[in-house]
Amino acid sequence: MISIVAGTFNILHEGHKKLIEKAFEVGDEVLIGLTTDGMAAGTKGEVVPFYLRKKELETLLKGADKSWEIVEINDIYGPKEKADSADIIVVSEETFKNAEEVNRERGSRGVRPLKIVIVPFVNAYNSEKICSTGIMTGEYSRSGNNNAVRIAVGSTNRVKIEAVRTVMEKVFGNVIVISADVKSGVSDQPRELETRTGAINRATSALGDNDLSVGIEAGVFITEDGLYDFQYCAILDRDGKMTVGVGPGFRYPDDVAALVSNGMTVGDAIHKLYGDPVSGKKQGAVGLLSKGLLDRKTLTEQSVTAAMIPRMKDL
């Protein structure tokens, strides 16, 4: 028996986990449909980039005792070559009508209907159904709890925000992460130690009445063998303690380095040379240059972890 579960899975939460658990319970194999950024943008507000959503699902499913596959979907029906062989579809009360429509479409092609399994909503602390929007706006944590460490990230960049969430959940468990749109106070393409200054400025401006604030800034550094990218992270708490960390760097190819040395930003240089606009909201320059072996979120997590090290003995 093959079961299907699908969604945007914008920020994985307890409701999503219940859906996925049920799909594994009722199926011998599980097909997870993950909406493209384009499809998600038509029905949601802010959308976490596809590669981050997929990465979170893969982490969740690691070690599962049944066969599973994540497939990209552009509509509610999914790719026919995969979906037509399925037997069961697992949905929430909210998406039940989509399942009925899927069965109508299958019937029109002479394909047997799917058995529909409905999973009840999981509620947040306020007795309303937990949702990714509530987590992303800082109303509550991933578990739906509003009694958690509050952390402001001095950026609207979703990659940075989700990197902070990933690290801080490992440190504190429940966390509420909010985005603060603040200025770095440095140039658009930070160079050398203004990178560190930019991270500190962001953390300082973002703190407000939160427990912690995080500032993250990537910049370019000239070394003896070329132009490197390093990412700084600064973390500030209510007591005024600031800790700073830096993640591992990487060397830019010479053609990129030449353009950046002549005044271009890294993003503009990558666009000019590779014809692929690179944004920190996606895999970043490092994702393109490493052909997906390394992405910006992973680098960011390492800089956040480094900035937390001086604090760990007191936690």
Side-chain angles (χ1 to χ4, degrees):
M1 300 282 280
I2 300 175
S3 62
I4 295 177
V5 63
T8 300
F9 302 113
N10 217 11
I11 301 285
L12 275 178
H13 54 65
E14 294 303 315
H16 293 144
K17 291 177 183 178
K18 291 294 183 186
L19 285 170
I20 293 168
E21 286 169 6
K22 179 59 72 173
F24 274 88
E25 178 186 321
V26 300
D28 303 307
E29 300 175 41
V30 180
L31 193 64
I32 302 106
L34 182 60
T35 61
T36 61
D37 290 342
M39 180 182 176
T43 57
K44 302 278 183 181
E46 185 183 4
V47 179
V48 174
F50 179 88
Y51 93 92
L52 289 181
R53 293 184 282 121
K54 184 178 181 183
K55 193 173 182 178
E56 278 233 304
L57 278 172
E58 289 170 340
T59 299
L60 176 68
L61 297 169
K62 194 177 295 182
D65 58 359
K66 293 181 179 178
S67 175
W68 56 269
E69 182 182 0
I70 298 172
V71 296
E72 190 172 326
I73 59 174
N74 289 293
D75 54 43
I76 65 171
Y77 310 108
K80 293 179 176 57
E81 65 275 12
K82 298 281 187 181
D84 282 1
S85 60
D87 309 284
I88 305 166
I89 186 167
V90 177
V91 297
S92 67
E93 300 163 68
E94 188 176 43
T95 55
F96 171 69
K97 291 189 180 301
N98 284 350
E100 290 186 315
E101 171 56 30
V102 167
N103 274 342
R104 277 193 289 271
E105 192 275 338
R106 287 167 71 97
S108 72
R109 296 186 290 110
V111 179
R112 70 185 186 283
L114 295 163
K115 177 183 177 182
I116 301 174
V117 175
I118 303 173
V119 176
F121 289 132
V122 174
N123 290 336
Y125 79 98
N126 56 6
S127 300
E128 296 181 0
K129 74 177 180 70
I130 191 170
C131 65
S132 295
T133 300
I135 299 167
M136 293 171 76
T137 57
E139 186 178 351
Y140 42 73
S141 69
R142 194 194 297 268
S143 67
N145 189 342
N146 76 331
N147 182 23
V149 175
R150 292 189 62 88
I151 302 167
V153 181
S155 176
T156 59
N157 184 314
R158 186 48 61 178
V159 174
K160 293 182 181 180
I161 296 164
E162 295 313 312
V164 170
R165 191 190 312 278
T166 296
V167 173
M168 295 305 191
E169 284 180 338
K170 292 175 182 176
V171 175
F172 297 108
N174 259 343
V175 295
I176 294 172
V177 180
I178 65 168
S179 168
D181 189 4
V182 300
K183 302 295 185 184
S184 69
V186 298
S187 59
D188 290 341
Q189 179 55 75
R191 296 170 186 270
E192 307 297 334
L193 285 180
E194 72 170 341
T195 311
R196 184 179 188 276
T197 301
I200 290 172
N201 289 347
R202 287 181 182 275
T204 302
S205 298
L207 182 61
D209 60 357
N210 297 289
D211 298 304
L212 294 171
S213 60
V214 181
I216 299 163
E217 196 76 30
V220 294
F221 291 73
I222 298 173
T223 72
E224 64 278 1
D225 66 334
L227 189 73
Y228 277 73
D229 175 287
F230 286 101
Q231 188 162 213
Y232 274 82
C233 175
I235 301 175
L236 178 65
D237 60 34
R238 286 184 175 186
D239 295 328
K241 179 180 179 180
M242 179 81 75
T243 54
V244 179
V246 61
F250 64 92
R251 181 176 177 271
Y252 282 109
D254 291 340
D255 53 358
V256 176
L259 292 176
V260 174
S261 296
N262 285 326
M264 275 194 181
T265 65
V266 169
D268 288 344
I270 295 290
H271 178 64
K272 179 179 177 64
L273 292 168
Y274 295 89
D276 183 9
V278 173
S279 166
K281 296 179 181 178
K282 298 186 179 177
Q283 294 191 56
V286 68
L288 177 66
L289 296 172
S290 70
K291 297 187 176 180
L293 292 176
L294 186 61
D295 61 71
R296 178 56 67 181
K297 180 173 182 277
T298 301
L299 285 181
T300 303
E301 288 173 9
Q302 292 168 339
S303 68
V304 176
T305 302
M308 280 298 296
I309 288 175
R311 299 174 177 273
M312 297 302 290
K313 65 181 178 63
D314 298 323
L315 298 177

